[in-house]
């Protein structure tokens, strides 16, 4: 039988993963990518001798012996990267009280630091540590529901999952299934509240917080020594080595449909390309409501896109500074004493990434320091229509950040050699993610537990992968989602799925 052809829209992590597994399984894949390079939101770029990493902060399951590591190996990226164990997740700093706490994988030390910070919260600290320790012992932690797509999970798989999770099941219910911000209301210390809310996101469930602590304690969170693009490129290389094709600067405007079957795509330049199967690993909103013209939806899908909240977009301010930071952790979360505003929003704090690990980000003796601030899509999207004002605002935000960094790193302003500001509009321009939502939907307890089908109602030969098919996004889910699509294709075509290639 001749090989079936697959068109993949988008060369982010999900599109590349779809492509690798498609090629491994006897399909002929062609990726059409909007940008000039692969990676999507896992992006890094050079400025004046500095490498700005605008993507992946840390990687889960980076050590051999875990299913996620096997996935990285199948895709050819584990072998090509050196992952560094993260021993400290981050430093939480409250400028108002002058207090700070390092969240480390040493849970005994963390418990004692948190109790010293706030004796009144001792009971809550004990409860959180017990939860993290409970999760630490579970071998199911790393692949909760990700090994197979919902379409292929049978009762035996469900039983296996249930059995594997029996010891940690309680953490997915009751008070642990609440948003972290709700749980944090009972906390006395403002800094502990900040940690609970911002270790990940205030809307994410408490169990996610516990899982992160458990992963940290198990040394299953890693840093990318050379940045996120060096994680992406080996996957692209594996895809091309397997015979996969990519066309860059190729924006899909329409998915071609005949008799309710996807048959190809039409690009912005007007050219049409046909295939047996079409996979969209691109923005979900534009796929469903633009490329397919709202023809293949149902009430549930419309409701999801109407009412699920999007991840809040960010402004990323990166500085190249002639200075080293040997004693700082790679991530700090700073709550400001003097907030400032962007648009109508008060900026009360920001995350600070210090790229003081690995040699690739800056020349010797220099460092990239990057502040990430949550902001509003509408404000930046409106402003970019007036280019001079947009540039002015970017400059102003960079100055505001620098003023605040002075309090922690005196004289830093005079050491800045490079400044780069990326806004939500920048995210959209390069990846077309709806309203700059760089990880899709906000992972609330409901959203994160809702499995989505890989297909759309009434449309044959069409599949979706990526962060709009895996609510909450993230590297492992997006990579798995490409594998899922090919697992479904193989089942449909009556052939065994081939993974794990050397
Ligand atoms: C700053 C940041 C930090 C992060 N940190 C982490 C982390 O620490 N750990 C973690 O696990 N995850 C993290 N993530 C999330 C993770 O990187 C993403 O969820 C994942 O990379 C998304 O991959 P994707 O392929 O689904 O989507 P995308 O990366 O958005 O890829 C979609 C691709 O489709 C292309 N495209 C869109 N529309 C079209 C079109 N019409 N025609 C052709 N091409 C199109 C885009 O250009 C893009 O390349 C982070 C993300 C960001 C931005």
């Amino acid at each position: 039988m001749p090989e079936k052809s697959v068109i993949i829209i988008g060369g982010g992590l999900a599109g590349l993963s779809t492509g690798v597994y498609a090629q491994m399984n006897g399909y002929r894949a062609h990726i059409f990518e909007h940008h000039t390079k692969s990676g999507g939101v896992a992006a890094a770029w050079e400025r004046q001798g500095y490498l700005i990493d605008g993507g992946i902060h840390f990687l889960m399951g980076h050590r051999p012996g875990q299913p996620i590591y096997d996935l990285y190996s199948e895709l050819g990226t584990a072998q090509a990267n050196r992952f560094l164990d993260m021993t400290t997740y981050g430093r939480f700093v409250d400028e108002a009280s002058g207090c700070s706490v390092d969240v480390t994988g040493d849970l005994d030390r963390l418990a004692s630091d948190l109790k010293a910070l706030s004796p009144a919260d001792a009971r809550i600290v004990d409860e959180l540590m017990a939860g993290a320790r409970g999760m630490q012992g579970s071998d199911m932690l790393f692949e909760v529901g990700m090994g197979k797509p919902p379409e292929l999970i049978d009762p035996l798989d469900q039983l296996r999952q249930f059995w594997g999770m029996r010891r940690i099941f309680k953490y997915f219910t009751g008070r642990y299934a609440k948003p972290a911000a709700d749980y944090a209301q009972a906390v006395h210390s403002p800094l502990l509240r900040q940690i609970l809310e911002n270790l990940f996101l205030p809307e994410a469930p408490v169990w996610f917080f516990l899982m992160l602590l458990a992963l940290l304690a198990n040394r299953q969170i890693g840093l990318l020594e050379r940045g996120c693009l060096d994680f992406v490129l080996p996957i692209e290389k594996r895809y091309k080595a397997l015979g996969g094709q990519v066309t860059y600067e190729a924006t899909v405007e329409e998915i071609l449909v005949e008799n309710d079957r996807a048959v190809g795509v039409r690009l912005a330049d007007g050219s049409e390309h046909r295939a047996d199967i079409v996979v969209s690993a691109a923005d979900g909103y534009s796929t469903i409501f633009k490329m397919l013209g709202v023809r293949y939806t149902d009430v549930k899908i419309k409701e999801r896109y109407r009412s699920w909240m999007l991840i809040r977009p960010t402004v990323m301010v990166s500085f190249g500074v002639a200075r080293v930071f040997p004693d700082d952790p790679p991530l700090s979360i700073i709550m400001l004493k003097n907030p400032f505003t962007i648009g109508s929003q008060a900026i009360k704090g920001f995350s600070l990434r210090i790229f003081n690990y690995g040699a690739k980000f800056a020349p010797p003796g220099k460092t990239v320091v990057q502040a990430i601030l949550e902001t509003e899509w509408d404000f930046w999207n409106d402003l970019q229509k007036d280019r001079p004002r947009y540039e002015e605002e970017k400059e102003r935000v960079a100055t505001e950040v620098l003023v605040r960094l002075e309090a922690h790193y005196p004289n830093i302003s005079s050491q800045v050699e490079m400044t780069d500001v990326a806004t939500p509009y920048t995210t959209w321009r390069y990846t077309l993610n709806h309203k700059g939502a760089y990880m899709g939907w906000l992972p609330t307890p409901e959203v994160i537990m809702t499995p989505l089908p890989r297909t759309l109602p009434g449309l044959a030969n069409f599949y979706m992968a990526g962060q709009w098919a895996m609510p909450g996004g993230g590297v492992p889910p997006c990579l798995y989602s490409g594998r899922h699509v090919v697992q479904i294709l193989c089942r449909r075509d009556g052939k065994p799925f081939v993974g794990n290639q050397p």
Side-chain angles (χ1 to χ4, degrees), residues 9-14 33-35 39-43 54 251 280-287 290-291 305 310-314 377 381 423-441 464-470 472-474 478:
I9 308 169
L13 286 174
E33 166 53 45
H34 161 75
H35 191 21
V41 296
T251 308
S280 177
D283 168 56
Y285 181 85
S286 35
T287 299
K290 293 183 179 165
M291 296 179 218
Y305 280 90
L310 300 173
I311 195 115
R312 285 178 290 278
T314 59
W377 163 255
N381 187 41
T423 75
Y425 178 73
T426 318
T427 305
W428 179 83
R429 194 154 60 93
Y430 289 113
T431 71
L432 300 179
N433 275 295
H434 190 45
K435 299 193 172 187
Y438 62 91
M439 281 201 337
W441 285 298
M464 285 181 73
Q467 56 192 1
W468 298 91
M470 299 290 274
C478 291

Side-chain angles (χ1 to χ4, degrees), residues 294 337 436:
V294 208
K337 196 171 170 184

Side-chain angles (χ1 to χ4, degrees), residues 8-16 31-35 37-43 53-60 72 200 247 250-254 267 280-283 286-287 291 314 316 353 370 372 427-433 437-440 465-469 472-479 481:
I8 299 163
I9 308 169
L13 286 174
L16 290 173
I31 294 175
F32 290 96
E33 166 53 45
H34 161 75
H35 191 21
K37 53 185 173 189
S38 300
V41 296
D53 189 330
I56 308 169
H57 291 182
F58 56 77
L59 210 58
M60 292 187 195
Y72 300 151
F200 188 42
T247 306
T251 308
V252 173
E253 278 197 349
E254 187 184 345
L267 306 185
S280 177
D283 168 56
S286 35
T287 299
M291 296 179 218
T314 59
M316 204 176 273
R353 290 180 83 187
Q370 181 182 75
I372 303 174
T427 305
W428 179 83
R429 194 154 60 93
Y430 289 113
T431 71
L432 300 179
N433 275 295
Y438 62 91
M439 281 201 337
Q467 56 192 1
W468 298 91
V475 174
C478 291
L479 293 176
S481 73

Side-chain angles (χ1 to χ4, degrees), residues 136-216:
Q136 234 187 312
S138 168
D139 49 357
M140 285 298 286
L141 198 52
F142 307 104
E143 58 157 355
V144 184
M146 286 199 290
K148 275 185 176 181
E151 287 86 345
L152 301 188
I153 291 185
D154 57 31
L156 198 65
D157 294 321
Q158 275 173 337
L159 204 66
R160 217 178 282 134
Q161 260 181 27
F162 191 79
W163 181 249
M165 289 179 65
R166 67 198 179 285
R167 288 198 198 92
I168 57 170
F169 222 76
K170 62 180 173 203
Y171 299 116
F172 292 88
T173 58
R175 51 201 276 103
Y176 305 106
K178 282 188 192 174
D182 290 7
Y183 182 92
Q185 277 177 9
V187 169
H188 293 88
S189 150
L191 187 52
L192 178 55
R193 210 174 303 133
Q194 289 307 335
I195 295 172
L196 262 162
E197 293 182 355
N198 295 322
L199 194 77
F200 188 42
L201 288 160
E203 295 84 355
V206 178
W207 63 255
F208 202 95
F209 174 93
L210 301 179
M211 188 184 78
L212 282 177
L213 284 188
L215 288 168
L216 191 66

